[in-house]
Amino acid sequence: MEPQKILCPYCRAELTEGAASCPHCRRSFAGRNPAGALPVGTLLAGRYTVGEMLSIDGEGILYRGVENRGRFRVTIKEYLPITLSAERGSDCQLRAKPGSEVLLKTTRMDFADLYRSIQRITPATGLEAVLDVVEANNTVYAVLENPGGVPLDQWLDKQRRTITPEEACAMLQPVFNGVAAMHQVGLVHRGICPENIRVLDNGRARLTGYATIGLRTAGSGLHGQLYEGYSAPEQYSAVEFEGRYTDVYSLSAVLYRMVCGQSPVPAAQRMVTDSNPKARTVNPAVPPYVSEALALGLQLDPARRIQTVPQLSRALSSPSAAEEEARTVHAAGRRKAREKKQKPALTLTAILTGILVLLAVLTLLTLWSLLGRSQPPADQTAPSESTSAPSVVTVNYVPNFVGMSYSQIQNNREYTGIYLFYVTEEYSDSAPAGTVLTQDPAPGTAITEGENSTIRLVISKGPQMVEMPNTIGFTQEGAIRELESRGLVPSCFMVVNDGSYASGCVVACSVEPGTMVEAGSTIVVYIAADRDVQITTTPDTVPDPGGALTEEDIDTSGVDTD
């Protein structure tokens, strides 16, 4: 097989896979990344070229990268948990430490599921888009857009002033919307902080830094990554439940930092002695209702905290809305306090009742024993003709079929000899085709012989696959409608138009027409801009590789069409 073409991750000139350096920008690839990381110039999925390592955390490595077809920059997150992974060899394959094989496999699945779920809801306002999820080298890679901009913490340092609540809320509104979209599909970010929020050139903020629950929870088995002052108190213990209110705490902490000029006292320290001052105490210019809303969002007890992002947004909007949210939160806190007071009394009552029942049972057993000894012995020589043999009742307990292959069930006479199976099928993104998704009755249900022994099973059909349509030449609106009608998610990027294309129409897509793809997949759509559109970032000069899109076509400013 001939080597594939790749792009230099520095200048984006075309090279041959395996090249040790770039003859155009004269940069060598050898030794750019540390041992254990992917070498610069590695090709992933025949489409992405890996660049230099940007950062590493307990979950994996973040690289710069290039998308070879569209010739634009991306970032690539590799799942490589340092506490579970063995040293990686020259073949780049990830291997588990002895004894960590199962945990590595399950956490790797969690990583893939997280990024595939985010891929389905991005591009969304305020969220860094997930463009692709790739399985290779015995691990998983998430390909992310390169949103540009600067981290919020650096942006705030340059301001040298506190931000007014109105400015802060306007800047973070896209992030609020994005986090609310995550919550609607059951995802919690758990890492909202100034470091993971980027301020773009247009003043809008965008949230980055996705991670699995293990990375953002202490004691999970991964090398945790918590953000002092921004991580919620429930994240400091693996036994505490986390929910939407966890992100509410972090968002409130970010707003607190913006309007006060300092971050809140870390939650671990506050749980010992809560000395965090209200925002108005730090900055008297903060309106009282904003200070109260932030205090409600930063409550240590989740039950006494604002519960959702829309509620936090409303509380920050006006004094009346803040007062209403305060009444709601305080009422929930009082209700929990009453339940807590009643719980010991109920527990004591239950204990006393149990003791009385036990004494009654022991008394009955003692009387039964005494009465049995006072009866004359029965005739041992001949049983009574009127005495009938006791009947034997067979009880079967329904096994747990969920997660099993239906072929295993069909070929097991132990199951087919006892139960009848009624089977229906559903599409599933998480279970392979033929796997049992649900069952009725539930596992452990007792079924007496002679009763209805039909088990209803729902079997996975695997992910729903759809055919990629040919949208070349469509208007942007027409392409979006066509892709969405097939269950695909369009992610539109503008490309500079030298007059070769019709403005506002599709010039290329990330997936070839006729390809079968999973429903819900994100399709990158390249839209030709007007001829007079100015590029905000000057692209590097790259030789024309002869393809439909050249380096000069791509607007490398990273501005998408949302």
Side-chain angles (χ1 to χ4, degrees):
M1 181 182 294
E2 294 185 3
Q4 299 188 55
K5 297 295 184 181
I6 65 171
L7 298 183
C8 171
Y10 298 103
C11 69
R12 283 174 285 177
E14 189 172 287
L15 306 172
T16 301
E17 182 185 4
S21 62
C22 175
H24 304 278
C25 65
R26 309 294 182 185
R27 296 195 185 185
S28 173
F29 300 160
R32 292 281 184 173
N33 284 339
L38 294 179
V40 171
T42 300
L43 181 65
L44 283 178
R47 182 175 175 184
Y48 307 103
T49 303
V50 176
E52 288 190 12
M53 184 180 82
L54 288 171
S55 62
I56 185 170
D57 57 34
E59 188 175 66
I61 301 176
L62 189 69
Y63 304 91
R64 289 189 175 94
V66 180
E67 202 273 5
N68 295 327
R69 298 177 189 173
R71 306 175 69 86
F72 58 87
R73 298 193 186 279
V74 295
T75 54
I76 302 171
K77 180 68 179 287
E78 178 184 35
Y79 185 66
L80 198 155
I82 57 177
T83 59
L84 306 178
S85 306
E87 194 168 318
R88 183 157 61 180
S90 58
D91 61 356
C92 297
Q93 296 293 308
L94 179 64
R95 296 176 178 84
K97 288 181 179 179
S100 298
E101 292 83 0
V102 175
L103 186 55
L104 177 63
K105 182 177 180 180
T106 55
T107 55
R108 185 177 64 214
M109 292 171 60
D110 291 342
F111 181 92
D113 290 344
L114 168 69
Y115 281 93
R116 287 194 175 106
S117 297
I118 297 173
Q119 185 180 14
R120 296 187 185 100
I121 64 172
T122 56
T125 301
L127 292 180
E128 178 186 31
V130 176
L131 304 179
D132 202 356
V133 178
V134 175
E135 296 191 24
N137 301 327
N138 201 33
T139 188
V140 181
Y141 300 85
V143 182
L144 309 163
E145 70 166 334
N146 186 3
V150 297
L152 178 59
D153 53 351
Q154 296 181 18
W155 186 88
L156 290 172
D157 290 341
K158 292 181 180 179
Q159 300 307 303
R160 297 181 180 179
R161 66 178 179 90
T162 57
I163 310 302
T164 67
E166 294 79 9
E167 291 175 315
C169 289
M171 178 181 290
L172 292 181
Q173 190 58 51
V175 176
F176 275 54
N177 296 339
V179 176
M182 291 183 66
H183 291 174
Q184 287 177 353
V185 297
L187 299 176
V188 181
H189 190 282
R190 300 182 181 86
I192 301 170
C193 64
E195 181 180 332
N196 288 331
I197 296 175
R198 300 191 74 84
V199 181
L200 308 185
D201 294 339
N202 59 10
R204 295 188 301 172
R206 186 163 292 191
L207 181 62
T208 66
Y210 311 121
T212 59
I213 183 174
L215 183 65
R216 300 280 166 75
T217 304
S220 64
L222 298 183
H223 191 280
Q225 182 188 53
L226 299 180
Y227 299 97
E228 293 295 318
Y230 302 97
S231 294
E234 56 268 21
Q235 294 179 255
Y236 287 83
S237 172
V239 300
E240 295 290 339
F241 180 77
E242 300 170 24
R244 295 177 296 179
Y245 48 74
T246 301
D247 286 343
V248 169
Y249 185 99
S250 300
L251 280 172
S252 301
V254 170
L255 276 162
Y256 185 100
R257 163 69 179 86
M258 295 177 75
V259 301
C260 294
Q262 64 184 46
S263 60
V265 175
Q269 181 178 337
R270 293 182 62 198
M271 287 187 287
V272 179
T273 302
D274 190 359
S275 57
N276 189 64
K278 287 192 174 184
R280 188 168 171 78
T281 303
V282 179
N283 180 7
V286 175
Y289 74 92
V290 173
S291 181
E292 180 62 23
L294 294 179
L296 292 173
L298 289 169
Q299 285 292 313
L300 294 174
D301 184 354
R304 299 175 183 272
R305 190 185 306 160
I306 292 177
Q307 297 293 294
T308 69
V309 172
Q311 288 174 338
L312 175 63
S313 182
R314 283 194 298 269
L316 292 166
S317 64
S318 67
S320 59
E323 185 177 349
E324 181 181 350
E325 290 299 331
R327 285 197 299 268
T328 302
V329 171
H330 292 327
R334 288 193 296 270
R335 185 164 56 251
K336 182 180 179 182
R338 286 196 300 270
E339 293 172 354
K340 189 175 181 180
K341 288 181 179 178
Q342 293 171 356
K343 189 174 180 180
L346 291 174
T347 303
L348 181 60
T349 302
I351 293 173
L352 293 174
T353 302
I355 292 174
L356 291 174
V357 170
L358 180 60
L359 290 174
V361 170
L362 291 174
T363 302
L364 289 174
L365 289 175
T366 302
L367 291 173
W368 182 267
S369 177
L370 293 173
L371 289 172
R373 281 200 289 267
S374 65
Q375 297 296 325
D379 186 358
Q380 304 287 334
T381 58
S384 170
E385 293 181 1
S386 62
T387 302
S388 60
S391 60
V392 178
V393 178
T394 302
V395 177
N396 296 311
Y397 293 93
V398 177
N400 184 4
F401 297 113
V402 176
M404 293 179 61
S405 169
Y406 183 55
S407 61
Q408 292 178 288
I409 301 172
Q410 286 180 306
N411 297 328
N412 193 326
R413 293 184 179 179
E414 182 181 347
Y415 299 144
T416 56
I418 300 175
Y419 306 106
L420 299 175
F421 295 97
Y422 178 80
V423 175
T424 57
E425 293 183 306
E426 290 183 2
Y427 288 110
S428 172
D429 297 331
S430 58
T435 304
V436 178
L437 298 174
T438 63
Q439 69 177 75
D440 182 30
T445 302
I447 297 180
T448 304
E449 188 175 7
E451 290 184 359
N452 181 10
S453 58
T454 299
I455 309 295
R456 297 178 179 269
L457 301 178
V458 178
I459 309 298
S460 169
K461 295 169 66 174
Q464 184 177 4
M465 305 299 289
V466 297
E467 184 178 352
M468 173 65 188
N470 186 358
T471 58
I472 306 301
F474 280 40
T475 64
Q476 178 178 340
E477 294 76 11
I480 290 174
R481 283 195 301 270
E482 179 65 23
L483 292 171
E484 289 181 342
S485 71
R486 302 195 181 208
L488 301 173
V489 181
S491 175
C492 299
F493 284 79
M494 301 301 293
V495 298
V496 175
N497 184 9
D498 61 359
S500 302
Y501 308 108
S503 299
C505 294
V506 178
V507 299
C509 291
S510 61
V511 177
E512 295 295 329
T515 304
M516 299 303 293
V517 295
E518 184 179 336
S521 297
T522 296
I523 306 298
V524 181
V525 183
Y526 306 104
I527 309 295
D530 293 333
R531 292 190 62 181
D532 58 353
V533 170
Q534 298 296 315
I535 303 177
T536 57
T537 302
T538 303
D540 302 321
T541 301
V542 179
D544 184 352
L549 292 177
T550 69
E551 175 63 25
E552 286 73 20
D553 293 325
I554 299 301
D555 180 353
T556 58
S557 61
V559 178
D560 60 29
T561 60
D562 65 354

